[in-house]
Amino acid sequence: MTLWLVIPLAVLLFVIVLALSSSIHFHFRLCRLGKDDRVEFDIRALFGLVKFHYELPKLIFEGIERGVKVKLEKSGIAPVRQDSDTEGQINKETVQEWADDLKEALRATRGLMKWLKGLLSHVKITKLDWSTDFSLGDAAYTATATGALWGLKWSLVGWVSQFVRLQQRPRMFVVPVFRDELCYSTEAVCTGKLSVAYALFAGVLLLRRISEVKGGLSHWIKLLRQKH
């Protein structure tokens, strides 16, 4: 084997090992201040070579029948830059479609929930902060609700910790605001990571589980096509 062949193979092997040893990082932020809502989600992988940014700068509740109007902004490099803005409506019909898609995915995959639970068990949460300021318009009611909100937050954290790995103790804040009017603001920030090597392994496992169901692959292709 000549040196000209050995060097490219060695470089390729080094790149593969380096990529497998890296992690997929994500950052989630939810903020509500008054009537303004904002949801942001970032994904970064392969040392920043792959980036995605999703943002919901608009969430408007239009009633029980019409649901919630949302605007999604997407940008990223993977490896070609992608920018797009879409608007949509989330109502009971949309939720029903999601439920139907989930049922279809469950039928088309052997042990999908078990696979998902295994994937989440390898997700490491490196930061979880959640602060809330609120007033119920009455000092006594606000003080009473503060304790209940504390309990609700830590119950949710305890439930989430059953599925993912918390690397640091979450920071929860509840600040009662003693005003004679209703007010509410909250901000939640969550960062975490997942090994690229395990993500690829989980992808192979998913394909295997899909292939074990008759017609599973065709059902998944149909589901994915419906989303485009």
Side-chain angles (χ1 to χ4, degrees):
M1 187 177 294
T2 64
L3 184 62
W4 296 107
L5 185 58
V6 172
I7 293 178
L9 289 176
V11 172
L12 179 60
L13 180 62
F14 174 76
V15 170
I16 292 175
V17 172
L18 192 64
L20 292 176
S21 64
S22 65
S23 297
I24 301 171
H25 297 266
F26 64 87
H27 176 273
F28 173 82
R29 177 176 177 265
L30 180 150
C31 182
R32 177 178 177 82
L33 182 60
K35 295 183 179 180
D36 296 326
D37 299 282
R38 181 172 293 272
V39 180
E40 300 174 357
F41 186 62
D42 292 277
I43 301 176
R44 179 173 56 86
L46 299 179
F47 308 100
L49 295 176
V50 176
K51 295 180 181 179
F52 287 105
H53 175 75
Y54 300 89
E55 187 170 329
L56 286 172
K58 183 187 297 184
L59 292 169
I60 302 175
F61 181 68
E62 298 183 336
I64 300 298
E65 291 297 326
R66 300 194 63 184
V68 179
K69 181 179 180 181
V70 299
K71 178 182 179 181
L72 175 64
E73 297 177 356
K74 173 185 174 183
S75 62
I77 305 174
V80 179
R81 184 170 183 83
Q82 300 179 358
D83 296 290
S84 63
D85 294 348
T86 57
E87 291 191 8
Q89 203 83 14
I90 299 178
N91 49 34
K92 58 183 179 181
E93 287 79 13
T94 307
V95 174
Q96 184 60 50
E97 288 179 4
W98 292 345
D100 293 340
D101 290 344
L102 177 59
K103 291 178 182 178
E104 187 69 20
L106 288 170
R107 287 194 295 264
T109 312
R110 184 184 66 82
L112 178 59
M113 298 308 296
K114 182 179 179 181
W115 172 86
L116 180 60
K117 187 176 180 179
L119 177 64
L120 290 176
S121 68
H122 286 79
V123 174
K124 299 178 181 178
I125 302 299
T126 56
K127 178 181 179 181
L128 179 57
D129 295 350
W130 187 6
S131 62
T132 303
D133 299 3
F134 78 103
S135 170
L136 296 181
D138 181 275
Y141 292 157
T142 301
T144 302
T146 298
L149 187 55
W150 269 110
L152 176 61
K153 281 191 172 186
W154 283 109
S155 295
L156 288 174
V157 170
W159 180 75
V160 169
S161 65
Q162 299 178 46
F163 304 99
V164 298
R165 303 180 187 179
L166 298 177
Q167 299 292 291
Q168 294 185 2
R169 180 179 174 82
R171 298 194 302 172
M172 302 287 113
F173 304 95
V174 178
V175 181
V177 180
F178 298 105
R179 295 179 183 173
D180 294 331
E181 60 182 357
L182 293 172
C183 67
Y184 176 80
S185 64
T186 188
E187 181 177 16
V189 177
C190 177
T191 62
K193 60 183 179 179
L194 173 67
S195 166
V196 169
Y198 187 81
L200 293 175
F201 175 68
V204 173
L205 285 181
L206 180 60
L207 287 175
R208 180 181 176 184
R209 288 180 176 274
I210 293 173
S211 65
E212 291 176 348
V213 176
K214 184 178 181 180
L217 185 59
S218 61
H219 284 300
W220 269 97
I221 293 174
K222 181 180 178 181
L223 282 174
L224 294 175
R225 284 179 175 174
Q226 289 175 351
K227 302 307 173 184
H228 292 83

